[in-house]
Amino acid sequence: QLQLVESGGGLVQPGGSLRLSCAASGFTSDYYTIGWFRQAPGKEGEGVSCISSSGGSTNYADSVKGRFTISRDYAKNTVYLQMNSLKPEDTAVYYCAADRMDLVTLNRYEYDYWGQGTQVTVSS
């Protein structure tokens, strides 16, 4: 019954912004680390950002620092990824992942639960 559903992806021009949402259901995510990952065609998947269960600790890939911001709304059981100053190289399918753990890591193999992804395309 545990489920993660991503939304908010789409087509945007370089320099534009998008906000992705990861809605959790079937469980209370308060005790879960939540991460965002992405996979582009022909490339390995990479960790983008993650946030601790308390919301007090975050981590970002170097490629998105200063442009992306992760946050969570416990009342809505939702985690967000605000993406600004988007670049063509940000084009990928973005996945939300969760695990009940103390780690705040961009290592995809530490996460047990995954959404189905949302497509982000940055192109002029």
Side-chain angles (χ1 to χ4, degrees), residues 11 23 51 61 83 94 100 114:
L11 175 64
I51 187 167
M83 306 187 296
Y94 283 70
R100 185 166 182 164
W114 291 80

Side-chain angles (χ1 to χ4, degrees), residues 83-99:
M83 306 187 296
N84 298 325
S85 301
L86 284 162
K87 305 174 181 179
E89 49 263 46
D90 295 318
T91 296
V93 178
Y94 283 70
Y95 298 90
C96 177
D99 211 336

Side-chain angles (χ1 to χ4, degrees), residues 52-98:
S52 65
S53 59
S54 69
S57 182
T58 60
N59 202 0
Y60 298 90
D62 288 340
S63 60
V64 307
K65 286 181 179 178
R67 299 189 297 121
F68 291 11
T69 303
I70 191 169
S71 62
R72 62 194 304 167
D73 185 330
Y74 295 98
K76 295 182 178 180
N77 214 20
T78 299
V79 174
Y80 303 97
L81 184 68
Q82 178 67 45
M83 306 187 296
N84 298 325
S85 301
L86 284 162
K87 305 174 181 179
E89 49 263 46
D90 295 318
T91 296
V93 178
Y94 283 70
Y95 298 90
C96 177

Side-chain angles (χ1 to χ4, degrees), residues 12-72:
V12 65
Q13 293 184 344
S17 298
L18 287 172
R19 188 177 73 161
L20 305 183
S21 297
C22 173
S25 63
F27 71 107
T28 301
S29 63
D30 299 38
Y31 300 100
Y32 287 72
T33 296
I34 308 294
W36 286 97
F37 300 81
R38 66 187 182 186
Q39 179 130 40
K43 299 180 180 180
E44 291 186 332
E46 64 174 334
V48 177
S49 184
C50 52
I51 187 167
S52 65
S53 59
S54 69
S57 182
T58 60
N59 202 0
Y60 298 90
D62 288 340
S63 60
V64 307
K65 286 181 179 178
R67 299 189 297 121
F68 291 11
T69 303
I70 191 169
S71 62
R72 62 194 304 167

